[in-house]
Amino acid sequence: SSMNSEFIETITEEWILSQMEELGLKRKDLKQDIGLDTVYLSLFFAKEDNPRKIHLSKTTKAMFYYYFEWKRSVLQKRSKTI
């Protein structure tokens, strides 16, 4: 599935957190699967008033979207083999 610019705007920090919750993922899973480091994740999930907070670029939004699509397919395949 391809992404349009309207859809990409729906990818927010809240959306990412809801995907993580739905799939049972923790920050350590993002570290292992995508290679994001602890400092990056801390600043990404920091409160809005943190001057060092990292905000989502379109590229990062796309990365998270496709990561969750991949992770969902991996978990579905795993559940079918059990």
Side-chain angles (χ1 to χ4, degrees):
S1 58
S2 64
M3 281 191 293
N4 62 34
S5 58
E6 282 180 25
F7 175 73
I8 210 161
E9 294 310 313
T10 68
I11 298 174
T12 60
E13 185 179 332
E14 292 74 25
W15 182 86
I16 290 166
L17 290 168
S18 73
Q19 296 295 302
M20 289 173 67
E21 188 174 327
E22 181 184 318
L23 296 169
L25 302 173
K26 304 282 182 231
R27 289 186 193 188
K28 69 176 176 57
D29 298 305
L30 299 181
K31 278 177 62 176
Q32 288 176 325
D33 293 341
I34 311 175
L36 299 174
D37 68 31
T38 307
V39 173
Y40 179 92
L41 286 169
S42 295
L43 292 174
F44 175 74
F45 290 114
K47 292 187 171 27
E48 284 297 326
D49 60 3
N50 184 328
R52 294 182 60 213
K53 179 172 177 60
I54 294 172
H55 295 278
L56 288 167
S57 66
K58 284 188 177 181
T59 307
T60 308
K61 288 179 181 192
M63 177 206 55
F64 275 112
Y65 173 79
Y66 287 111
Y67 168 69
F68 290 123
E69 288 288 295
W70 168 77
K71 196 67 176 180
R72 192 170 277 110
S73 72
V74 168
L75 294 172
Q76 284 171 348
K77 283 181 188 141
R78 197 174 292 161
S79 68
K80 286 178 184 169
T81 60
I82 294 172

